[in-house]
Every structure is written in C-alpha cells, then in structure tokens.
C-alpha cells in the first residue's frame, strides 16, 4: 500500500507493552542514497526528548490505527545509530527540493512523496510546477525509476517529455469493458394514437 508522507505526520505510535499510544510522529528521516525513510522523530508525554528516534526496523506493523512497536525501549537517541546520525548531520529533506531534468529544464519543487507501507521506500515524488507551467499541469507525479541523481539542493530526473507522456497516458486511459446496464434500452414509447385522416371518430 502506498502512503503519502504528509499523512504519516501525526500517526500514533502504539506500544504492545503499554497497551496503547505513547506518542506520535512529528518528522521522518530519509536516506538520500536509498530513498527510504529509515527513522521517525516522535513526541509524546512518555517519550524522552533525548531518545525520541524510532528506527523503522522496530516497527512491527503499520495500519490506519497507527504504528505498533514493542515498547519505548525501542526508541534511541540521535547519536545511538551511526547511519541515522550521519543523515541527521546532512540535514537532508526531500520536501522543497527543486526538481530538474538532465537537460536543465526546471520541473518544480517537491511538496510531498509516497512510500510503501511495508518498508517505507519512496516510490513517487509529488512536484508542484512553476507558475508558468502550472496552468497546464499544477502537479507532476514522478516515479523513483525516473530519478537520475539527488544532491543537497535538487533532484535530477530523466526527460520531461517522457514524464508528461506517461502522465497523459494514465489520464487518457479508458477501461476496456462494456457495462451491460448502460446499453441503449429499447424504445417503449406508445405508438402514435392520432386518428388517421378520413376515418370517423
């Protein structure tokens, strides 16, 4: 299942040990090398501000009710996990990064992205178009396979025309089936009852 990143914010964290919610997600940490959320930053009345990082490997289950973990012992400090610590030092965030093609054409800025609910791998970038292009395409959805390179300031993708063609193909798709309930119905209108000319009433 695909989940929008902005929908993850505010998700309750449910502890098996506590038998209920212990906090909620306030931010996510994305690895720019793998394009995957590797941890979440939490807050809550029982969560220590110095140990408020949840590694995704500690998530037992994700559903509409929240994320399930074993206990608050699963939470770590920012410096406890080397990989997480290094990415935090980069201060990397996908949101607001510029998106350009290899040829330098500016496509816009990332305003959201989707991840898989199984392993939180980024699948699609939601890009807000520049003002000049927004009249035709306010937003673009770019699949991860179109990404060529990621820097501190921008995401470089493949050819713009290919992306637009793929979008148009999806929008023009028509299901190849016939609905029998929408076929033309026979005309049951009554026949003309007007008395033929020359006949008596």
């Amino acid at each position: 299942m695909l989940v929008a990143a902005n929908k993850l914010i505010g998700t309750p964290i449910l502890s098996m040990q506590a038998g209920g919610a212990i906090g909620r997600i306030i931010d996510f940490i994305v690895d720019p090398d793998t394009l995957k959320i590797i941890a979440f930053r939490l807050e809550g009345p029982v969560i220590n501000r110095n140990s408020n990082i949840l590694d995704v490997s500690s998530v037992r289950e994700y559903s509409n009710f929240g994320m399930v973990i074993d206990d608050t012992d699963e939470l770590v400090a920012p410096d406890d996990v080397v990989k997480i610590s290094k990415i935090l030092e980069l201060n990397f965030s996908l949101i607001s990064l510029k998106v350009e093609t290899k040829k330098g054409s500016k496509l816009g800025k990332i305003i959201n992205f989707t991840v898989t609910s199984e392993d939180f791998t980024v699948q699609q970038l939601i890009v807000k178009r520049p003002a000049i292009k927004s009249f035709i395409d306010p937003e673009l959805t770019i699949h991860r396979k179109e990404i060529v390179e990621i820097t501190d300031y921008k995401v470089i993708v493949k050819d713009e025309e290919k992306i637009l063609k793929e979008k148009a193909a999806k929008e023009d798709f028509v299901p190849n089936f016939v609905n029998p309930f929408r076929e033309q119905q026979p005309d049951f209108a009554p026949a003309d009852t007007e008395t033929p000319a020359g006949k008596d009433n």
Side-chain angles (χ1 to χ4, degrees):
M1 178 175 69
L2 289 181
V3 182
N6 62 351
K7 297 295 184 182
L8 292 173
I9 303 299
T11 297
I13 303 300
L14 310 174
S15 166
M16 298 281 288
Q17 184 70 27
I22 59 170
R24 65 186 184 91
I25 294 173
I26 60 172
D27 198 7
F28 35 74
I29 301 167
V30 178
D31 183 346
D33 293 329
T34 61
L35 267 190
K36 180 178 180 179
I37 294 178
I38 62 170
F40 298 98
R41 196 188 301 274
L42 313 180
E43 72 172 9
V46 299
I47 295 177
N48 188 325
R49 290 185 179 181
N50 296 322
S51 300
N52 65 343
I53 303 296
L54 173 64
D55 193 310
V56 293
S57 62
S58 297
V59 177
R60 293 173 60 95
E61 182 182 349
Y62 170 78
S63 70
N64 293 331
F65 299 103
M67 285 185 189
V68 180
I69 66 174
D70 287 331
D71 195 13
T72 53
D73 292 342
E74 301 286 339
L75 306 184
V76 297
D79 297 331
D80 287 347
V81 181
V82 175
K83 186 173 184 179
I84 294 175
S85 177
K86 287 183 176 180
I87 293 176
L88 287 173
E89 288 177 2
L90 294 175
N91 198 28
F92 175 80
S93 175
L94 270 178
I95 303 299
S96 296
L97 278 187
K98 296 178 181 179
V99 180
E100 298 180 3
T101 66
K102 290 190 296 183
K103 296 180 180 179
S105 176
K106 293 177 173 56
L107 300 184
K109 289 185 178 181
I110 299 173
I111 57 173
N112 201 3
F113 57 90
T114 64
V115 297
T116 55
S117 59
E118 293 77 23
D119 61 2
F120 303 103
T121 298
V122 176
Q123 294 297 313
Q124 301 166 324
L125 305 178
I126 312 301
V127 179
K128 183 178 181 180
R129 300 282 269 162
I132 297 177
K133 299 180 179 180
S134 63
F135 294 102
I136 301 175
D137 296 295
E139 292 182 2
L140 283 180
T141 300
I142 301 176
H143 194 274
R144 64 177 291 127
K145 68 181 180 181
E146 300 296 330
I147 298 173
V148 176
E149 182 183 354
I150 298 176
T151 73
D152 293 339
Y153 308 102
K154 61 186 177 182
V155 175
I156 301 173
V157 299
K158 297 178 183 177
D159 185 56
E160 179 179 9
E161 292 183 3
K162 181 180 178 182
I163 294 173
L164 293 175
K165 285 180 181 178
E166 289 179 353
K167 178 181 180 182
K170 292 178 182 177
E171 292 177 346
D172 293 340
F173 172 74
V174 177
N176 187 24
F177 68 88
V178 177
N179 185 340
F181 298 104
R182 296 186 66 85
E183 291 180 352
Q184 185 175 358
Q185 300 298 319
D187 185 2
F188 292 110
D192 189 357
T193 56
E194 184 180 351
T195 303
K199 288 189 178 182
D200 295 332
N201 293 332

